[in-house]
Amino acid sequence: MGNCASLDEQTLRDREIGRNLKKDFKLSANVAKILLLGTGESGKSTIVKQMKIIHGTQNSEKEGLTEEDRTAQVVVIKNNVLDSIEALINAAEEFGYKYSESEAEQAKTRIVASLESLERANHYTAQLAKDVTLLWNHPTTVECVKRKNEFQFLDSAPYFLKQAETYSSPEYIPSDEDVLRARSITTGIVTVPFEVKGKGSSSPFKFELVDVGGQRTERRKWIHCFQDVTAVLFIISLSDYNQTLYEDETTNRMQESEKLFGEMLNNVFFRETPFIVFFNKVDLFQEKLKSASLTIAYKEYTGSQDYTEALDLIKMKFLGHDLSRDRGKYTFETTATDTNIVKNVFGTVQNIILKQILEVAGLL
């Protein structure tokens, strides 16, 4: 009897091991392709950077940004500083504001001269950085910033302008936050592979995050990425409601995002594809609601400037475009520059995608 019981226990263990091996094999044979969509400035590329910080890539031996990742952003950050101060100088001209003091006027003259260079980041000297700091703290600039919704101004501009002099040091290496806030236009298609250990699985699960440019001119390339998509991750910038597009200053950014979201939801390629929706830039949205009415984007809105009420209206507008009854839609409120928030949210996203693949494979 004892031998029979022992044999049965061994058989059960063998079967359990066999099931786990089968499960691991099927998981390792799958690569979850997550297609990142959204309009320009929504925060898509920031999510890509966060995945590198949280998981690394298949080609890196550890989590986090490599030294190469960081040094590659130095020029981008210097250009962000220069683009931002240029936008402020131009705005002052347009608004009829003056930098009347001779010191400020001389600083402005030196900055404008440096902006004429094609390789202007190479001319980012300590003197130029001091000039930027002087203008950034000037009362004229303060008045311009109060009207920042009237011209194109990077969300991260204040962050970088406050630290302009830091970036002139030859020893400067960008921090995680510097990299996350750095802004460059995504052109073409960027694929970031990474691996995650699944619960109960001995082998890592492979993801591919595919980022494509969000500007109108880049969207014609999207169709090349539409096949074999496991899930669409659509990024919506909540703070865009009082801004216009870079490429078309007559179009409200949020209305453009809503239109694009509806087109993608009902695209023939994605009718049964799960949509994971990040309502992003929560921090900026909450701040803007204190002074800018949501009626800028939605004239019919009669509610308050309360965060929850305003967010509910936006969610209803976007999600109301879905013509599919059975599609899975999963919404999250995010601040893409906050690594802890993204890590927690993406942990849930991974479980959603893993469950879907296991169901397709007949393992659930």
Side-chain angles (χ1 to χ4, degrees), residues 189-255:
I189 300 165
V190 178
T191 301
V192 178
F194 60 95
E195 297 180 345
V196 177
K197 267 289 184 68
K199 291 182 179 179
S201 173
S202 61
S203 59
F205 186 70
K206 297 177 182 178
F207 283 85
E208 277 187 359
L209 200 58
V210 182
D211 182 22
V212 288
Q215 274 71 24
R216 285 176 174 176
T217 53
E218 291 295 313
R219 293 177 202 163
R220 64 180 182 272
K221 303 172 186 176
W222 288 11
I223 195 168
H224 301 297
C225 307
F226 283 1
Q227 291 185 328
D228 302 320
V229 171
T230 308
V232 171
L233 175 52
F234 199 100
I235 314 295
I236 297 161
S237 172
L238 290 169
S239 66
D240 278 359
Y241 73 91
N242 70 335
Q243 294 175 267
T244 58
L245 298 177
Y246 271 96
E247 60 267 43
D248 177 8
E249 295 193 353
T250 65
T251 301
N252 179 276
R253 287 193 191 184
M254 181 159 281
Q255 290 177 354

Side-chain angles (χ1 to χ4, degrees), residues 141-337:
T141 303
V142 173
E143 292 303 309
C144 289
V145 173
K146 290 178 182 178
R147 300 174 63 178
K148 63 183 178 182
N149 65 302
E150 298 178 41
F151 60 98
Q152 301 295 344
F153 193 58
L154 290 175
D155 290 334
S156 57
Y159 174 85
F160 287 127
L161 288 166
K162 288 175 187 175
Q163 304 177 81
E165 292 182 65
T166 301
Y167 313 131
S168 65
S169 169
E171 287 78 37
Y172 166 65
I173 299 294
S175 65
D176 283 358
E177 187 170 7
D178 292 345
V179 172
L180 288 171
R181 291 180 179 272
R183 169 64 185 153
S184 59
I185 295 175
T186 302
T187 57
I189 300 165
V190 178
T191 301
V192 178
F194 60 95
E195 297 180 345
V196 177
K197 267 289 184 68
K199 291 182 179 179
S201 173
S202 61
S203 59
F205 186 70
K206 297 177 182 178
F207 283 85
E208 277 187 359
L209 200 58
V210 182
D211 182 22
V212 288
Q215 274 71 24
R216 285 176 174 176
T217 53
E218 291 295 313
R219 293 177 202 163
R220 64 180 182 272
K221 303 172 186 176
W222 288 11
I223 195 168
H224 301 297
C225 307
F226 283 1
Q227 291 185 328
D228 302 320
V229 171
T230 308
V232 171
L233 175 52
F234 199 100
I235 314 295
I236 297 161
S237 172
L238 290 169
S239 66
D240 278 359
Y241 73 91
N242 70 335
Q243 294 175 267
T244 58
L245 298 177
Y246 271 96
E247 60 267 43
D248 177 8
E249 295 193 353
T250 65
T251 301
N252 179 276
R253 287 193 191 184
M254 181 159 281
Q255 290 177 354
E256 173 84 355
S257 181
E258 183 190 334
K259 176 175 176 286
L260 180 63
F261 183 72
E263 291 172 355
M264 293 299 102
L265 265 178
N266 300 306
N267 187 288
V268 64
F269 284 95
F270 301 140
R271 285 177 183 167
E272 296 180 0
T273 304
F275 263 62
I276 297 156
V277 188
F278 282 10
F279 288 94
N280 193 35
K281 301 189 182 181
V282 166
D283 54 339
L284 297 177
F285 181 56
Q286 290 174 322
E287 190 62 32
K288 279 191 177 182
L289 285 173
K290 296 174 184 177
S291 57
S293 173
L294 191 59
T295 57
I296 295 171
Y298 298 110
K299 290 182 172 56
E300 72 279 14
Y301 180 62
T302 57
S304 70
Q305 290 296 102
D306 174 72
Y307 167 75
T308 301
E309 189 174 2
L311 177 63
D312 286 345
L313 181 279
I314 293 170
K315 283 185 175 181
M316 181 189 72
K317 285 285 188 181
F318 276 79
L319 301 177
H321 287 277
D322 194 3
L323 301 178
S324 172
R325 295 182 179 180
D326 302 323
R327 178 217 311 281
K329 294 192 297 294
Y330 310 90
T331 63
F332 301 90
E333 297 159 32
T334 61
T335 298
T337 52

Side-chain angles (χ1 to χ4, degrees), residues 8 26 48 88 98 106 137 154 231-232 234 326 329 340:
D8 288 344
K26 288 193 174 184
V48 172
L88 289 165
K98 302 293 183 183
Q106 289 171 14
N137 293 317
L154 290 175
V232 171
F234 199 100
D326 302 323
K329 294 192 297 294
N340 287 330

